[in-house]
Amino acid sequence: MQRGSDRLSVHKDDEMKHELQGLIRSGHPTRAEEWHDPEPAADDDPDVTLRPIPARGTTGEAEAVRFEFARRLGRTSFPADREELLDVLEERHTPDGLIALAEELPADRTFHTVQEVVSALGLRPAS
């Protein structure tokens, strides 16, 4: 039962879903006019556009790396060894820098949490 509180009609909603299908499926802009696409980040843009910024008052490297691994791996990836983690990271199109860090993990260990991964890399949270 429609209550009349929708901002768009059913037809307009379906039309908008159809327009977005190409973008959702392709993963990149699908417009012919370049002026519709967002601009890429510039060299002098602040770091917030490229990666998470460490919390104020901390050195933050361990926190930022832990955040990125957690974002990419999720809970279902554990327990896992280095090869399994690398497979998941590549499957999820993780940036090369994070994959390079994961390649430094010891091959003979099984990791149960993201914190164990970050600790095995020798990164310690700021005290």
Side-chain angles (χ1 to χ4, degrees):
M1 177 175 163
Q2 286 282 356
R3 297 194 180 258
S5 61
D6 295 338
R7 294 184 336 165
L8 304 173
S9 71
V10 174
H11 301 291
K12 184 67 176 172
D13 192 37
D14 288 341
E15 180 183 330
M16 290 175 70
K17 285 180 188 174
H18 178 71
E19 288 176 2
L20 288 174
Q21 282 302 317
L23 175 64
I24 292 169
R25 288 185 180 171
S26 68
H28 59 80
T30 56
R31 300 186 184 270
E33 298 90 14
E34 289 182 11
W35 60 270
H36 279 291
D37 296 336
E39 267 188 48
D43 293 337
D44 60 347
D45 280 351
D47 287 342
V48 74
T49 61
L50 305 174
R51 63 183 185 285
I53 299 297
R56 202 152 121 244
T58 66
T59 56
E61 183 182 14
E63 289 85 357
V65 170
R66 184 178 63 231
F67 173 80
E68 287 299 322
F69 273 122
R71 199 170 116 194
R72 306 284 190 217
L73 293 171
R75 294 180 184 183
T76 58
S77 303
F78 296 100
D81 63 10
R82 180 181 72 183
E83 292 308 315
E84 292 169 330
L85 292 176
L86 285 169
D87 288 344
V88 171
L89 291 171
E90 287 179 19
E91 200 175 277
R92 295 181 181 173
H93 307 288
T94 302
D96 293 339
L98 210 56
I99 290 178
L101 275 175
E103 288 172 345
E104 295 176 15
L105 291 169
D108 59 343
R109 261 184 81 184
T110 300
F111 303 98
H112 298 348
T113 64
V114 173
Q115 185 59 46
E116 287 181 17
V117 171
V118 173
S119 295
L121 291 171
L123 299 172
R124 302 282 180 248
S127 304

